[in-house]
Amino acid sequence: MLGNLEVILEFFRENYIKFPIVLYVLGFAVHNAYLSLYGSYEFELIQARYILSGIGFLGFVSLCVVYMSFHLNLSYLPDNYKIKIVLPWLLRVFSLPAILYVFLHGQPVFSDVSTAKEELWLWLYLSFGQLVVLSSLTNIIFSLTSGNDIYAKTVRTLSLWCALPFLILCFYASSQSSELKSLVMFIVYFLAGFVGLSFRHADRNYNVEPDYLSPEAKEEHENSFQLVVGILALCFVCWSAISKYSENIYPYIPTAIGGSKIEAATLYSGTGVTPVEIIQESSKWFLIRNSDTKKIEKIKASSIDRVVYTGE
């Protein structure tokens, strides 16, 4: 344990200067991917919020990966392809959107009779999903399912037999809610990453090396080509994750904790009083959605006399 801690500390000592740069670049990409949804971009480099946005993105992804990685053999992922491991793992993985949904959108409330059926399925999924997440975290901390006592066996059995009904409930509820569907699809990206990594582990175990060029190609050319393909694949995966995050998660996280939540406000200026939704606020510009016309507008900060935030 101490040896691993020393390795981690040594890694931080050698790379501590790079972390702010990585966070800044990630935040810059996330925020501009978010603004592109409204046809706008921000290329002002000196923005402290980029680091905060990078922390939010990296922290969110890290929490998801850590939560999914517990009780898995990460050194050789194909070892986990057993029914008694896969089904409880899928139960835990697809319960995560329930917590994310409540954090980002709050608990749903029944609106009217016409949508009560759809909302009921969503409510059932969120209730069971939150229960699964809380019980999983408790198990991770206290290892309640390890051993052969009655309680551990009961929990393991329930996790095994409840997985398929819960997955059906999850996908049906997501078909009724666009917000939940976007979160489930985001989790599917992580799932695909684990599957892809398991294929790579299997290739290494059986000494299978992909040949991208012809057998007559020189080894250095093959290695260079694999490096280029690997970099392009990594960039594609990163950009896909950033795009999904900026579209489905970033707009609902408060700015103070690394998001860019849209705020309802009233703008007072020489042209009058305008109810708006503030998408982006900087020292020079306000990117807003006019609540009356529903149009996206960019207004100079110097032209605004006063901003009153009205809340939700």
Side-chain angles (χ1 to χ4, degrees), residues 52-91:
L52 195 59
S53 297
I55 292 174
F57 173 74
L58 193 60
F60 181 85
V61 171
S62 299
L63 286 175
C64 290
V65 171
V66 169
Y67 176 78
M68 296 179 187
S69 299
F70 278 107
H71 300 308
L72 291 182
N73 178 9
L74 296 180
S75 60
Y76 188 62
L77 285 172
D79 277 348
N80 303 292
Y81 288 160
K82 301 172 183 175
I83 294 296
K84 64 179 182 180
I85 297 177
V86 168
L87 286 181
W89 182 68
L90 289 176
L91 174 68

Coordinates of all heavy atoms in Angstrom, one line a residue, residues 52-91:
L52 N -12.1 25.5 -14.2 CA -13.2 24.9 -13.4 C -14.0 24.0 -14.2 O -14.5 22.9 -13.8 CB -14.1 26.1 -12.9 CG -15.1 25.7 -11.8 CD1 -14.3 25.2 -10.6 CD2 -15.9 27.0 -11.4
S53 N -14.3 24.3 -15.5 CA -15.0 23.4 -16.4 C -14.2 22.1 -16.6 O -14.8 21.0 -16.7 CB -15.3 24.1 -17.7 OG -16.1 25.2 -17.6
G54 N -12.9 22.2 -16.8 CA -12.1 21.0 -16.9 C -12.1 20.1 -15.7 O -12.2 18.9 -15.8
I55 N -12.1 20.8 -14.5 CA -12.2 20.0 -13.3 C -13.6 19.3 -13.2 O -13.6 18.1 -12.8 CB -12.0 20.9 -12.1 CG1 -10.6 21.4 -12.0 CG2 -12.4 20.2 -10.8 CD1 -10.4 22.4 -10.9
G56 N -14.6 20.0 -13.6 CA -16.0 19.4 -13.6 C -16.0 18.2 -14.5 O -16.6 17.1 -14.2
F57 N -15.5 18.3 -15.8 CA -15.5 17.2 -16.7 C -14.7 16.0 -16.3 O -15.2 14.9 -16.2 CB -15.0 17.7 -18.1 CG -14.9 16.6 -19.1 CD1 -16.0 16.1 -19.7 CD2 -13.6 16.2 -19.5 CE1 -15.8 15.1 -20.7 CE2 -13.4 15.2 -20.4 CZ -14.5 14.6 -21.0
L58 N -13.5 16.3 -15.9 CA -12.6 15.2 -15.5 C -13.1 14.6 -14.2 O -13.0 13.3 -14.1 CB -11.2 15.8 -15.3 CG -10.0 14.8 -15.1 CD1 -9.9 13.9 -16.4 CD2 -8.7 15.4 -14.9
G59 N -13.6 15.4 -13.3 CA -14.1 14.8 -12.0 C -15.4 13.9 -12.3 O -15.5 12.8 -11.7
F60 N -16.2 14.4 -13.2 CA -17.4 13.6 -13.5 C -17.1 12.3 -14.2 O -17.6 11.2 -13.8 CB -18.3 14.4 -14.5 CG -19.6 13.7 -14.8 CD1 -20.7 13.8 -14.0 CD2 -19.7 13.0 -16.0 CE1 -21.9 13.1 -14.4 CE2 -20.8 12.3 -16.4 CZ -21.9 12.4 -15.5
V61 N -16.2 12.3 -15.1 CA -15.8 11.1 -15.8 C -15.0 10.1 -14.9 O -15.3 8.9 -14.9 CB -14.8 11.4 -17.0 CG1 -14.2 10.2 -17.6 CG2 -15.6 12.2 -18.1
S62 N -14.2 10.7 -14.0 CA -13.4 9.9 -13.1 C -14.4 9.2 -12.1 O -14.2 8.0 -11.8 CB -12.4 10.7 -12.3 OG -11.5 11.3 -13.2
L63 N -15.4 9.9 -11.6 CA -16.3 9.3 -10.6 C -17.1 8.1 -11.3 O -17.3 7.1 -10.7 CB -17.3 10.3 -10.1 CG -16.7 11.3 -9.1 CD1 -17.8 12.4 -8.8 CD2 -16.3 10.6 -7.8
C64 N -17.5 8.4 -12.5 CA -18.2 7.3 -13.3 C -17.4 6.1 -13.5 O -17.8 4.9 -13.2 CB -18.7 7.8 -14.6 SG -20.0 9.0 -14.5
V65 N -16.1 6.3 -13.9 CA -15.2 5.2 -14.1 C -14.9 4.4 -12.8 O -14.9 3.2 -12.8 CB -13.9 5.7 -14.8 CG1 -12.9 4.5 -14.9 CG2 -14.2 6.2 -16.2
V66 N -14.6 5.1 -11.7 CA -14.3 4.5 -10.5 C -15.5 3.7 -10.0 O -15.4 2.6 -9.5 CB -13.9 5.6 -9.4 CG1 -13.9 5.0 -8.0 CG2 -12.6 6.2 -9.8
Y67 N -16.7 4.3 -10.1 CA -17.9 3.6 -9.6 C -18.1 2.3 -10.4 O -18.5 1.2 -9.9 CB -19.1 4.5 -9.8 CG -20.5 3.8 -9.5 CD1 -20.9 3.7 -8.1 CD2 -21.3 3.4 -10.5 CE1 -22.1 3.1 -7.8 CE2 -22.5 2.8 -10.1 CZ -22.9 2.7 -8.8 OH -24.1 2.1 -8.5
M68 N -17.9 2.3 -11.7 CA -18.1 1.1 -12.5 C -17.0 0.1 -12.4 O -17.2 -1.1 -12.7 CB -18.1 1.5 -14.0 CG -19.3 2.4 -14.4 SD -19.2 2.8 -16.1 CE -20.6 4.0 -16.2
S69 N -15.8 0.5 -11.9 CA -14.7 -0.4 -11.8 C -14.6 -1.2 -10.6 O -13.8 -2.2 -10.5 CB -13.4 0.5 -11.9 OG -13.3 1.2 -13.2
F70 N -15.4 -0.9 -9.5 CA -15.3 -1.7 -8.3 C -15.7 -3.1 -8.6 O -16.7 -3.4 -9.3 CB -16.2 -1.1 -7.2 CG -15.5 0.1 -6.5 CD1 -15.9 1.4 -6.7 CD2 -14.5 -0.2 -5.6 CE1 -15.3 2.4 -6.1 CE2 -13.8 0.9 -5.0 CZ -14.3 2.2 -5.2
H71 N -15.1 -4.1 -7.9 CA -15.4 -5.5 -8.0 C -15.1 -6.1 -9.4 O -15.7 -7.1 -9.7 CB -16.8 -5.8 -7.5 CG -17.1 -5.4 -6.1 ND1 -16.3 -5.7 -5.0 CD2 -18.1 -4.6 -5.6 CE1 -16.8 -5.2 -3.9 NE2 -17.8 -4.5 -4.2
L72 N -14.3 -5.4 -10.2 CA -13.9 -6.0 -11.4 C -12.4 -6.3 -11.4 O -11.6 -5.7 -10.7 CB -14.2 -5.0 -12.6 CG -15.6 -4.7 -12.9 CD1 -15.6 -3.7 -14.1 CD2 -16.4 -5.9 -13.3
N73 N -12.0 -7.3 -12.2 CA -10.6 -7.6 -12.4 C -10.1 -6.7 -13.6 O -10.2 -7.1 -14.7 CB -10.4 -9.1 -12.7 CG -9.0 -9.4 -13.0 OD1 -8.1 -8.6 -12.8 ND2 -8.7 -10.7 -13.4
L74 N -9.5 -5.6 -13.2 CA -9.1 -4.6 -14.2 C -7.9 -5.0 -14.9 O -7.5 -4.5 -16.0 CB -8.9 -3.2 -13.6 CG -10.2 -2.6 -13.0 CD1 -9.8 -1.2 -12.4 CD2 -11.3 -2.4 -14.0
S75 N -7.1 -6.0 -14.4 CA -5.9 -6.4 -15.0 C -6.2 -7.3 -16.2 O -5.4 -7.4 -17.2 CB -5.0 -7.1 -14.0 OG -5.6 -8.3 -13.5
Y76 N -7.3 -8.0 -16.2 CA -7.7 -8.8 -17.3 C -9.2 -8.9 -17.3 O -9.9 -9.7 -16.7 CB -7.1 -10.3 -17.2 CG -7.4 -11.1 -18.4 CD1 -6.8 -10.7 -19.6 CD2 -8.1 -12.2 -18.4 CE1 -7.1 -11.5 -20.8 CE2 -8.4 -13.0 -19.5 CZ -7.8 -12.6 -20.7 OH -8.0 -13.4 -21.8
L77 N -9.8 -7.9 -18.1 CA -11.3 -7.7 -18.1 C -12.1 -8.9 -18.5 O -13.2 -9.2 -18.1 CB -11.6 -6.5 -18.9 CG -11.3 -5.1 -18.2 CD1 -11.5 -4.0 -19.2 CD2 -12.2 -5.0 -17.0
P78 N -11.6 -9.8 -19.5 CA -12.4 -10.9 -19.9 C -12.7 -11.9 -18.8 O -13.7 -12.7 -18.9 CB -11.5 -11.6 -21.0 CG -10.7 -10.5 -21.6 CD -10.4 -9.5 -20.4
D79 N -12.0 -11.8 -17.7 CA -12.3 -12.7 -16.5 C -13.6 -12.3 -15.9 O -14.2 -13.2 -15.2 CB -11.2 -12.6 -15.4 CG -10.0 -13.5 -15.7 OD1 -10.1 -14.3 -16.6 OD2 -9.0 -13.3 -15.1
N80 N -14.1 -11.2 -16.2 CA -15.4 -10.7 -15.6 C -16.6 -11.2 -16.5 O -17.7 -10.9 -16.1 CB -15.4 -9.2 -15.5 CG -14.2 -8.7 -14.7 OD1 -14.2 -8.9 -13.5 ND2 -13.3 -8.0 -15.4
Y81 N -16.4 -11.8 -17.6 CA -17.5 -12.3 -18.4 C -18.1 -13.5 -17.9 O -18.1 -14.6 -18.5 CB -17.0 -12.5 -19.9 CG -16.7 -11.2 -20.6 CD1 -15.9 -11.2 -21.7 CD2 -17.2 -10.0 -20.2 CE1 -15.6 -10.0 -22.4 CE2 -16.9 -8.8 -20.8 CZ -16.1 -8.8 -21.9 OH -15.8 -7.6 -22.6
K82 N -18.7 -13.4 -16.7 CA -19.4 -14.5 -16.1 C -20.8 -14.0 -15.7 O -20.8 -12.8 -15.2 CB -18.6 -15.1 -14.9 CG -17.2 -15.6 -15.3 CD -16.5 -16.0 -14.1 CE -15.0 -16.4 -14.4 NZ -14.2 -16.7 -13.2
I83 N -21.8 -14.8 -15.8 CA -23.1 -14.3 -15.5 C -23.2 -13.7 -14.1 O -23.8 -12.7 -13.9 CB -24.2 -15.5 -15.6 CG1 -24.3 -15.9 -17.1 CG2 -25.5 -15.0 -15.1 CD1 -24.8 -14.8 -18.0
K84 N -22.6 -14.4 -13.1 CA -22.7 -13.9 -11.7 C -21.9 -12.6 -11.5 O -22.1 -12.0 -10.4 CB -22.2 -15.0 -10.8 CG -20.7 -15.4 -10.9 CD -20.3 -16.4 -9.9 CE -18.9 -16.8 -10.0 NZ -18.4 -17.8 -9.1
I85 N -21.1 -12.2 -12.4 CA -20.4 -11.0 -12.3 C -21.0 -9.9 -13.2 O -21.2 -8.8 -12.8 CB -18.9 -11.1 -12.7 CG1 -18.2 -12.1 -11.7 CG2 -18.2 -9.8 -12.6 CD1 -16.8 -12.4 -12.0
V86 N -21.3 -10.3 -14.5 CA -21.8 -9.3 -15.4 C -23.2 -8.7 -15.1 O -23.4 -7.5 -15.1 CB -21.9 -10.0 -16.8 CG1 -22.7 -9.1 -17.8 CG2 -20.5 -10.2 -17.4
L87 N -24.1 -9.6 -14.7 CA -25.5 -9.1 -14.4 C -25.5 -8.1 -13.2 O -26.1 -7.0 -13.3 CB -26.4 -10.3 -14.1 CG -26.8 -11.0 -15.4 CD1 -27.8 -12.1 -15.1 CD2 -27.4 -10.0 -16.4
P88 N -24.9 -8.5 -12.0 CA -24.8 -7.5 -10.9 C -24.1 -6.2 -11.3 O -24.4 -5.1 -10.9 CB -24.1 -8.2 -9.8 CG -24.3 -9.7 -10.1 CD -24.4 -9.8 -11.6
W89 N -23.0 -6.3 -12.2 CA -22.3 -5.2 -12.6 C -23.2 -4.3 -13.5 O -23.2 -3.1 -13.4 CB -21.1 -5.6 -13.4 CG -20.2 -4.5 -13.9 CD1 -19.5 -3.6 -13.1 CD2 -20.0 -4.0 -15.2 NE1 -18.9 -2.7 -13.9 CE2 -19.2 -2.9 -15.2 CE3 -20.5 -4.5 -16.5 CZ2 -18.8 -2.2 -16.4 CZ3 -20.1 -3.8 -17.6 CH2 -19.3 -2.7 -17.6
L90 N -24.0 -4.9 -14.4 CA -24.9 -4.1 -15.3 C -26.0 -3.4 -14.4 O -26.4 -2.3 -14.7 CB -25.5 -5.0 -16.3 CG -24.6 -5.5 -17.5 CD1 -25.3 -6.4 -18.4 CD2 -24.0 -4.3 -18.3
L91 N -26.4 -4.1 -13.4 CA -27.4 -3.6 -12.5 C -26.8 -2.3 -11.9 O -27.5 -1.3 -11.8 CB -27.7 -4.6 -11.4 CG -28.6 -4.1 -10.3 CD1 -30.0 -3.8 -10.8 CD2 -28.7 -5.1 -9.1

